[in-house]
Amino acid sequence: MSIHGLNKLTLLDFPGKVAATIFLGGCNFRCPFCQNSELVLDPYSQPVIPTEDILAYLKKRQGLLDGVCISGGEPTLYNELIPLIRQIKEFGYLVKLDTNGFRPAVVKNLVEEGLIDMIAMDIKSSPEHYALVAGVPTLDLVPIQQTVTYLLEGHVPYEFRTTVVKELHSEEDFRSIGQWIGGCSAYYLQAYKDSPEVMKPGFSSYTRAELEIFRQLLSETIPKVEIRGID
Ligand code: SF4
């Protein structure tokens, strides 16, 4: 496990909290719209931040920050994740995990050990198009479903979110997602933003008005659906 990024202060990554965000390299998915393609495809092209430096920063900020968001890449791929979070918790921080949900056992373990205060799980698409949108044609959906089911059971505060790409997501997908994760506590539609850092640049976003149609559709089964990342 290596840490390749530290956002020292964010009001966006951990809802309602003043937080720092740590970015771990590497991921088992290849979402073509991934904003962190270097971190996923070639993490060691990015500088490594020694864990001791991260911990020293967090120790200094005790009392000033509420929490730490662990993002990536995909953090749950690493066995060292649990000891890292233990150390962060010892400083008294709340911890949020961003995950693609592929390792339900890690998620469950973290929750059961009291190491996680919030989870944000990506819902890449409807089950029908999940593998395509995750960029892994042979993707096994069983672990994804296990994580979704575990979160829906309410063991820990969570949100689901989808980065919405015009070329990859249709109204039919959101109809299906609404059935799949219906009743979840919160679901966010995140507007895609194109940039040279994207894994396969050139996609586009729906307009706010188009996303609003999806939001209304999803609201039939999900009490809280919000749109992020577009005016
Ligand atoms: S978007 Fe997330 S899950 Fe997809 S490749 Fe990037 S880091 Fe991995």
Side-chain angles (χ1 to χ4, degrees):
M1 183 189 75
S2 52
I3 300 171
H4 295 278
L6 170 66
N7 183 355
K8 290 184 169 179
L9 183 65
T10 170
L11 300 174
L12 299 176
D13 293 353
F14 197 151
K17 308 289 176 209
V18 181
T21 300
I22 294 169
F23 297 90
L24 305 186
C27 185
N28 55 332
F29 285 11
R30 292 292 179 270
C31 313
F33 53 86
C34 178
Q35 300 282 346
N36 291 330
S37 57
E38 287 281 293
L39 199 62
V40 166
L41 298 174
D42 190 10
Y44 284 94
S45 67
Q46 312 284 307
V48 174
I49 307 175
T51 305
E52 310 80 69
D53 292 3
I54 300 280
L55 293 172
Y57 173 76
L58 293 177
K59 192 165 169 34
K60 250 191 345 207
R61 288 293 178 277
Q62 277 176 300
L64 298 172
L65 297 174
D66 305 314
V68 178
C69 178
I70 317 263
S71 193
E74 177 48 44
T76 62
L77 297 181
Y78 302 102
N79 294 333
E80 303 96 310
L81 178 67
I82 290 179
L84 172 68
I85 296 180
R86 266 202 203 105
Q87 286 172 287
I88 293 171
K89 291 297 275 181
E90 277 171 21
F91 296 145
Y93 287 112
L94 299 169
V95 174
K96 168 175 171 266
L97 175 72
D98 290 349
T99 181
N100 63 22
F102 194 74
R103 298 202 67 200
V106 176
V107 167
K108 199 170 168 202
N109 193 2
L110 284 165
V111 172
E112 286 179 354
E113 289 205 28
L115 293 173
I116 287 290
D117 301 283
M118 183 177 182
I119 292 180
M121 176 179 166
D122 295 341
I123 297 293
K124 298 298 178 189
S125 186
S126 58
E128 296 80 12
H129 295 131
Y130 216 95
L132 172 83
V133 177
V136 182
T138 57
L139 188 72
D140 180 6
L141 280 192
V142 170
I144 303 288
Q145 179 61 60
Q146 287 172 346
T147 306
V148 166
T149 301
Y150 183 70
L151 293 178
L152 286 173
E153 286 168 0
H155 303 276
V156 65
Y158 67 93
E159 68 176 44
F160 293 125
R161 66 226 187 141
T162 298
T163 298
V164 187
V165 182
K166 196 167 187 170
E167 291 80 2
L168 298 176
H169 297 98
S170 67
E171 185 172 324
E172 218 26 65
D173 288 314
F174 292 107
R175 213 173 285 283
S176 176
I177 290 170
Q179 295 305 314
W180 182 23
I181 61 169
C184 70
S185 56
Y187 179 51
Y188 293 87
L189 297 168
Q190 302 183 155
Y192 170 78
K193 278 198 177 56
D194 202 32
S195 81
E197 286 76 45
V198 168
M199 193 151 333
K200 290 189 182 160
F203 291 118
S204 55
S205 173
Y206 284 103
T207 63
R208 172 102 203 176
E210 289 167 329
L211 290 171
E212 180 59 28
I213 293 171
F214 299 150
R215 195 191 69 74
Q216 283 176 16
L217 179 68
L218 288 152
S219 297
E220 291 172 13
T221 54
I222 302 172
K224 180 178 175 179
V225 185
E226 291 183 9
I227 297 169
R228 279 182 182 150
I230 194 165
D231 294 329

